[in-house]
Amino acid sequence: MCGIVGFTSRSASAVGPLVSGLRRLEYRGYDSAGVALECEEGIKVFKQTGKVAELDALLKKELPEEERGKFTVGIAHTRWATHGLPTTVNAHPHIADGGSLALVHNGIVENYAALRSGLEKHGVKFVSQTDTEVLAHLVATFDQGDLLAATCEALKRVEGTYGIALISAKHPGEMIVARKGSPLVIRVGEKDIVVASDVSAIVAYTRQVIYLKDGDVARITPDGVDIHSLDFSPVSREVQEVDWDIGAIEKGGYEHFMLKEIFEQPEALENCLRGRLLPEEGTAKLSGLRLGPREIAALSNVVLTACGTSYYAGLHGAYAFEQFAGIPARIEQAAEFRYRNPIVAPDTALVSLSQSGETADTLAAVREAKRKGALVLSVCNAVGSTIAREAGRGVYLHAGPEIGVASTKAFLCQVAALEMMALLFGRTRRLSGAEGAAIVRALASLPDLVRAVLAKNDAIARIAEKHAGARDAFYIGRGYQYPAALEGALKLKEISYLHAEGYHAAELKHGPIALLDEKVPVVALAPRGPDRDKTLGNIQECRARNAPVVAIVTEGDADARAFTEDLVEVPPCPDFVAAVPVVVAEQLFAYHVARLRGEPIDKPRNLAKSVTVE
Ligand code: F6R
């Protein structure tokens, strides 16, 4: 995810503090970095794809040590691509006003296309594909001599989220920062002031910080910080003490990246859904697919393909395509796709799913499907990744970078993205407006469904304590809970090294039930829905073999209590979204089992985050 650092001082060079601030933000994941530095002659910008070390090397080459002292004000950024590829041109800072204004931005400007075309009509030329460049030009347009006032005017026209920092050669020594939805924190030192999007970039200097609130805009000079609201009235924010140490902060206070990422899921889903649900029309808008109603109507089947967790999300997606759109849909293992020679045709939509966008087997499947003339679409998290580029059309997840090896937030966002796609296909084919609107409402509730399960973290940890000593476990579910069972078992085995199998609840008695006894827990997924009663029956079969059962059920489901006291309750919701809260409960269960067993959760043995070999 993107990171911001800003620095201003009366006498010290900004270069060193900006680069070391960026280094402290590296753990967030990014694909390019840049700085803008101000001196009497104007503003200089340095940008580089890749790592901060490469930006540092560029600065060392282009900016000799003896020249650095003159740059006492600057802003810097690490970018994790959302709008536009991870290129040097798209990297921040973005400039406007003939290079005299530079701006960095975290967040997403939802109405950037409308703002951009308005500015273009007034002759503004854009060089990047980003939403951020719009902000730089907008502020420059309103600059009548007061940079803070210009920023307020510009931001009043912006829909979406932002944390920004900007400098202008026309206002030497000033830096303007503002936030809405993307955090910004300020450290006021005796000799300098540092701003960052994340306290970890500044905590090495001090623990005394000011957290800006949404709607705050601040003018920062070496003399101090002046905070205002967007309507220009002054506001005061108190100085607070940071009570974390640096190691903890890099994980946002969490013990592991995986736990941090599990807790980031409501926000990840919000980012994935933002601007894509159309409640009034009862459909979804997915511009990256570049598919009109006639093209969707002409499709005769959907084939999804992926590996691992992405495969399980794809299986869920196949169910949704059939339910919402009435179009035959199936999932193929990407590793099989190329060799099994599956039947795809020009009226097949081939949907490839990949968090990293670099998985070798999924990429090979994309190439094979293109060769066979299918309409190839991608659902990727990493912008500009090979699969996204080669597919050419698709949906980005906007889940933010996943650092823990076990996939968590990408899975939930893949489910959300596929359901939006199935909804769009459904509305083109057979769903009524009212049916579509009900699906939109269910999708919009996903972040809150996840929050409700996260609130049960402690209770889930207590259940995990009872089962952390097991050697084997089964996960069972039906319908949409079947892919969720497969995903739950994968999460448990990959991080806890406990042997776990996901089965369709009905399949258990066709063999695996022979393994059940009092030492083999069964995690049964039985939220309310068409399959719940049957799964409760399967739970009884497990209890009859003395297997301990952990049941994930809907709040207030008294029947399930008769079979086990290890219950995790999820909020009531339609069956086609219930896998989302259920999987969050599974993630937390797997996490706590692995933690109690003392395993290296973020980097399990033998696993890699991106599998680029067949
Ligand atoms: C499991 C996990 C893997 C990945 C798989 C595909 O937690 O992370 O199973 O899902 O390697 O990776 P992507 O989605 O990057 O193609």
Side-chain angles (χ1 to χ4, degrees):
M1 258 176 196
C2 305
I4 290 177
V5 190
F7 179 91
T8 177
S9 155
R10 220 166 275 121
S11 52
S13 168
V15 183
L18 288 175
V19 173
S20 60
L22 289 186
R23 283 192 199 280
R24 290 190 197 285
L25 297 178
E26 286 195 286
Y27 75 93
R28 297 163 64 96
Y30 65 101
D31 40 51
S32 58
V35 293
L37 301 164
E38 184 193 295
C39 69
E40 275 173 16
E41 296 101 73
I43 285 181
K44 275 194 162 229
V45 176
F46 302 88
K47 306 203 275 191
Q48 182 72 52
T49 52
K51 296 289 162 202
V52 173
E54 291 163 65
L55 175 69
D56 195 22
L58 177 76
L59 286 165
K60 286 202 171 98
K61 200 167 119 222
E62 309 262 321
L63 211 58
E65 205 57 51
E66 55 280 13
E67 272 189 38
R68 293 184 170 206
K70 67 182 183 185
F71 299 102
T72 55
V73 183
I75 52 176
H77 193 261
T78 45
R79 173 174 188 253
W80 192 78
T82 57
H83 295 64
L85 298 176
T87 58
T88 309
V89 171
N90 286 335
H92 303 204
H94 286 282
I95 55 166
D97 204 8
S100 66
L101 185 145
L103 180 145
V104 293
H105 165 227
N106 287 358
I108 295 178
V109 179
E110 283 164 22
N111 59 338
Y112 87 100
L115 292 172
R116 181 173 171 140
S117 65
L119 287 160
E120 278 170 339
K121 279 190 196 120
H122 287 90
V124 174
K125 294 263 180 299
F126 282 80
V127 294
S128 79
Q129 302 159 302
T130 64
D131 51 341
T132 301
E133 197 183 351
V134 166
L135 293 176
H137 289 297
L138 209 54
V139 175
T141 308
F142 287 108
D143 186 3
Q144 309 283 337
D146 184 333
L147 195 55
L148 183 80
T151 308
C152 291
E153 278 313 307
L155 293 180
K156 281 182 200 159
R157 287 156 177 84
V158 169
E159 288 165 25
T161 54
Y162 53 78
I164 57 166
L166 61 108
I167 53 177
S168 163
K170 293 184 176 159
H171 305 270
E174 254 183 57
M175 173 170 39
I176 305 292
V177 297
R179 78 158 267 181
K180 184 183 157 206
S182 280
L184 276 183
V185 58
I186 305 172
R187 175 196 74 109
V188 184
E190 277 174 20
K191 298 196 181 128
D192 49 40
I193 298 181
V194 185
V195 179
S197 53
D198 185 323
V199 82
S200 58
I202 53 183
V203 81
Y205 302 94
T206 184
R207 297 194 166 203
Q208 305 287 317
V209 298
I210 299 169
Y211 291 96
L212 289 187
K213 295 204 168 140
D214 276 352
D216 288 353
V217 189
R219 189 194 319 266
I220 299 175
T221 65
D223 299 325
V225 180
D226 244 343
I227 309 176
H228 294 257
S229 59
L230 270 193
D231 63 13
F232 220 52
S233 20
V235 290
S236 73
R237 301 281 173 233
E238 59 190 59
V239 176
Q240 293 180 30
E241 176 95 8
V242 179
D243 56 0
W244 310 327
D245 69 29
I246 189 90
I249 286 166
E250 294 198 339
K251 297 188 182 106
Y254 293 97
E255 209 178 325
H256 296 97
F257 281 113
M258 181 181 176
L259 190 62
K260 172 172 174 274
E261 286 159 15
I262 291 172
F263 273 83
E264 275 170 4
Q265 292 180 116
E267 197 194 336
L269 282 165
E270 274 160 8
N271 288 340
C272 180
L273 297 168
R274 181 172 290 119
R276 289 170 164 173
L277 293 177
L278 304 179
E280 276 165 25
E281 292 155 52
T283 188
K285 185 176 84 186
L286 298 167
S287 335
L289 294 181
R290 290 188 280 114
L291 288 179
R294 292 174 76 90
E295 282 163 291
I296 294 174
L299 292 168
S300 65
N301 66 334
V302 176
V303 176
L304 300 106
T305 192
C307 301
T309 286
S310 297
Y311 174 89
Y312 300 142
L315 181 56
H316 180 110
Y319 290 1
F321 274 110
E322 295 205 338
Q323 184 183 342
F324 298 175
I327 185 166
R330 65 175 207 274
I331 175 114
E332 287 275 347
Q333 232 145 33
E336 281 287 278
F337 192 92
R338 182 167 36 155
Y339 302 110
R340 210 181 64 77
N341 199 16
I343 298 165
V344 293
D347 57 357
T348 299
L350 185 288
V351 183
S352 56
L353 298 144
S354 175
Q355 185 285 128
S356 61
E358 302 296 343
T359 301
D361 284 318
T362 312
L363 178 59
V366 162
R367 289 179 177 159
E368 179 64 12
K370 279 181 107 173
R371 234 170 263 130
K372 289 198 152 84
L375 173 79
V376 177
L377 309 169
S378 73
V379 177
C380 288
N381 195 30
V383 173
S385 53
T386 313
I387 291 171
R389 275 189 283 115
E390 294 210 7
R393 310 165 180 233
V395 178
Y396 281 123
L397 299 179
H398 299 315
E402 264 188 355
I403 294 169
V405 163
S407 186
T408 50
K409 54 185 179 169
F411 176 87
L412 294 203
C413 292
Q414 283 167 336
V415 165
L418 288 172
E419 293 215 339
M420 285 192 281
M421 215 189 263
L423 168 63
L424 172 68
F425 280 32
R427 282 291 281 133
T428 312
R429 299 166 73 95
R430 68 168 187 179
L431 282 181
S432 70
E435 288 165 329
I439 295 170
V440 167
R441 278 196 298 279
L443 289 173
S445 75
L446 289 179
D448 284 340
L449 293 177
V450 173
R451 283 187 190 99
V453 182
L454 295 176
K456 297 180 195 288
N457 182 33
D458 292 344
I460 295 172
R462 282 193 293 277
I463 296 175
E465 262 169 47
K466 294 196 203 170
H467 302 284
R471 275 198 24 220
D472 307 281
F474 281 90
Y475 283 68
I476 57 169
R478 291 162 177 266
Y480 284 104
Q481 297 305 324
Y482 171 52
L486 298 173
E487 170 59 7
L490 176 61
K491 276 309 76 106
L492 187 68
K493 72 183 122 193
E494 68 181 328
I495 60 168
S496 73
Y497 310 151
L498 204 154
H499 167 240
E501 305 252 14
Y503 264 91
H504 190 282
E507 274 289 312
L508 207 62
K509 53 183 163 297
H510 296 284
I513 202 164
L515 294 171
L516 294 192
D517 63 22
E518 67 286 351
K519 293 201 207 73
V520 181
V522 177
V523 180
L525 315 180
R528 277 198 200 284
D531 305 308
R532 174 255 187 199
D533 292 353
K534 286 203 165 51
T535 308
L536 285 192
N538 300 128
I539 292 178
Q540 298 198 54
E541 291 160 11
C542 299
R543 291 298 298 124
R545 273 85 194 166
N546 291 324
V549 168
V550 176
I552 305 182
V553 298
T554 303
E555 272 161 21
D557 189 341
D559 296 347
R561 261 184 211 287
F563 312 120
T564 176
E565 53 183 34
D566 291 344
L567 285 184
V568 182
E569 293 187 323
V570 298
C573 57
D575 69 321
F576 58 84
V577 290
V580 167
V582 165
V583 166
V584 177
E586 292 178 329
Q587 293 167 345
L588 288 171
F589 179 73
Y591 171 80
H592 288 298
V593 169
R595 179 181 58 79
L596 291 159
R597 293 167 75 102
E599 303 302 354
I601 291 176
D602 286 331
K603 287 193 168 55
R605 68 182 178 217
N606 307 338
L607 296 182
K609 187 68 191 156
S610 181
V611 184
T612 50
V613 289
E614 263 190 68

